Amino acid sequence: MATIARANTPLSALRHFNFRLYFIGQLISLSGTWMQRVAQGWLVFQLTGSEFALGLVAAAQGFPMLLLIPLGGVVSDRYSRRTILIMSFTVQMLQAILLAILTFAELVEVWHIVALSAALGVATAFEMPARQTFVYDLVGRVDIQSGVALNAITINAANILGPTAAGILLVQIGAAWCFSLNGVTFLASLGALAWMQLAPFSRQMTSTNPWAELVDGLRYAIRHPTIAPLLILGTSNAVFGINVLVTLLPSFADVTLD
């Protein structure tokens, strides 16, 4: 009973060395991601003064995610999730560095940001399913509830820390430095992943075609009485809720709040 009580505590996932590394790395890198998102919106509106341009950049990142996240789930079931995360974080880091270079050189244009946002969307589409399921690899079945809860805390804490830092840094040193610092923050996640002590990945051999797996998964999710409503709620909030608010904030601050 004592073992069960210990396992079911809200912080029990933190007794796993690998999860502690993951928790710290994600808090740092996700804060950097949000910092870049705020700075990027400010930069786009400074360049264009256009709400359409803000929406175009957001769509360039969101559309690949909408299409490719189910495929990313199939990939995360077949290959090492740590490898997928390392590759995805590397792409995201390079994207931030390239955006910083263009901004420092005063060469950045909206089409650059659109193209880089699309690349970020593709990388994120493979990173998100792997990141969510990676928690199970780190803590196991017993501590999965604690792991999921702490993972959610990490995401929401980053939603506070990142924009706060962006607001300060935009005033003090400019958008280019926000992009640069975001690139640096990915070193925390990459270092944590490299330091983790995980068992060698053993690929589960299956004769099922990956596209068939994708179709079966979508069919199962649509027909499931719990999963289907959750997917609808999550998609609706992502498309019409928080993303709309964050995307249009630069315009709202300038036009409405003067």
Side-chain angles (χ1 to χ4, degrees), residues 130-153:
R131 174 161 52 85
Q132 297 292 339
T133 52
F134 193 52
V135 174
Y136 180 86
D137 297 341
L138 299 178
V139 302
R141 183 181 298 274
V142 174
D143 292 322
I144 188 62
Q145 289 184 337
S146 172
V148 170
L150 289 170
N151 187 50
I153 289 174

Side-chain angles (χ1 to χ4, degrees), residues 66-75 77-78 208-222:
L66 185 65
L67 291 180
L68 296 177
I69 278 182
L71 179 60
V74 173
V75 172
D77 281 340
R78 287 174 167 255
T208 307
N209 184 285
W211 295 108
E213 286 187 11
L214 177 60
V215 173
D216 289 343
L218 291 173
R219 186 183 294 117
Y220 175 82
I222 291 173

Side-chain angles (χ1 to χ4, degrees), residues 13-96:
L14 290 175
R15 61 192 178 95
H16 299 271
F17 172 75
N18 290 333
F19 186 81
R20 292 197 299 272
L21 289 175
Y22 169 85
F23 184 87
I24 296 171
Q26 284 295 289
L27 180 61
I28 295 172
S29 66
L30 285 174
S31 296
T33 297
W34 270 97
M35 181 170 59
Q36 172 165 313
R37 187 171 185 181
V38 172
Q40 179 177 279
W42 179 87
L43 177 62
V44 170
F45 199 69
Q46 285 290 108
L47 291 173
T48 65
S50 168
E51 290 84 358
F52 174 77
L54 291 171
L56 181 63
V57 170
Q61 180 177 342
F63 191 65
M65 294 172 60
L66 185 65
L67 291 180
L68 296 177
I69 278 182
L71 179 60
V74 173
V75 172
S76 69
D77 281 340
R78 287 174 167 255
Y79 300 97
S80 166
R81 296 183 181 103
R82 174 159 62 174
T83 301
I84 294 171
L85 290 174
I86 289 174
M87 294 174 64
S88 175
F89 289 150
T90 300
V91 172
Q92 294 179 55
M93 180 176 66
L94 294 176
Q95 185 263 3

Side-chain angles (χ1 to χ4, degrees), residues 31-32 35-36 38-39 42 161-182 185:
S31 296
M35 181 170 59
Q36 172 165 313
V38 172
W42 179 87
L161 297 174
T164 302
I168 297 172
L169 294 175
L170 276 172
V171 174
Q172 299 297 326
I173 55 179
W177 283 104
C178 292
F179 305 145
S180 300
L181 291 173
N182 178 41
T185 62

